Amino acid sequence: MKSAASAETGTPAGKRATAKKAVTAKKAVTAKKTAASATTATGEKTVAAETTAKQTAAKKTTAKKTTAKKSAAKKTPSKATAAKTTPAEAATSKTAASNTAAPKATPPKKAVSKDESRTAMVRRARRMNRELAEVYPYAHPELDFRNSFELLVATVLSAQTTDLRVNQTTPALFAAYPTPEDMAAADPERLEELIRPTGFFRAKAKSLLGLSKALRDRFDGEVPGRLADLVTLPGVGRKTANVVLGNAFGVPGITVDTHFGRLVRRFGWTGQQDPEKVEAEIAEIFPKSEWTMLSHRVVFHGRRVCHSRKPACGACPIAHDCPSYGEGELDPEKAKKLLKYEMGGQPGQRLRPPADYPGRPAPPLAGR
């Protein structure tokens, strides 16, 4: 005999109830699995989010530290940057870095201000001139000559060559043509051959013949003592005229040659490039009585110490007043090796130097 439950199950209504319970149970199991999966996924997302947050925080911390270091570096200048406070100190630092065993150069005693006034510049320029006078009391024209005609000819020949080469060339020239009349009658080819060592001999021979004829025909064979007359002679400009006037006639003049123009710009006395403008500006700084000797002193310094490519700053007696100090060699021992002529223990440029010249005479040209 069947039980009531079995009877109910066997009926259609019982079958429907049983199916309904099975579906309900299956849904419950599925819901539990879904909930478990959701919980797992949520946990994984949470862990991933926490990891990402930690990495982001670490990156921000690192960035802050880097920024702080950069800011500190900007606020605190390095030794190399501090060493560039002035051109002189920068050059000194560079020299010390390249050769730590070398003696250190003595820095300038005075610093030349970038905003130097006109009055301060004039005072500094005149002080430099006085100091150069103490260093070169024997400064003189470095061309050998015995009269105004020889000085005029030698100055014309000195273009594009050294005074030494001119001095080695003129003895034979003046032996052959001692006067303007003699040179005016010279054979051009013979004259060219005599002056060939000075370079550009054809153009120079043409100038010498022209000025000699002008002296003979217009000035009675005498060299005129006026600037206006001298510049009318072939091959004679203001520079040559001032050399002749200042050294043969005692008329003050400023000679703006390559060395003079280069140094007065390096000294900060003028910024002009044109020789006539340079002459005009320098003439306003110094009294007329100083013009001729100032020219000699500056040229002497340019040839011996303040060279164009590598000035001997470490051996310069006026470095403390020079705004360009540091452009050249600062080490004292190395700078001494750059000195030329009598300052470097070598012969001078003249074969017949003045009696007070402390150096040795230059040797004559080989083969003459």
Side-chain angles (χ1 to χ4, degrees), residues 116-135:
E116 183 181 42
S117 66
R118 165 74 180 180
T119 301
M121 184 276 289
V122 171
R123 289 175 178 172
R124 179 173 60 82
R126 293 183 178 183
R127 184 169 57 249
M128 293 174 78
N129 179 43
R130 291 193 297 271
E131 291 170 344
L132 288 174
E134 294 177 1
V135 177

Side-chain angles (χ1 to χ4, degrees), residues 36-50:
S37 299
T39 302
T40 302
T42 303
E44 289 176 353
K45 288 182 180 180
T46 302
V47 172
E50 290 177 354

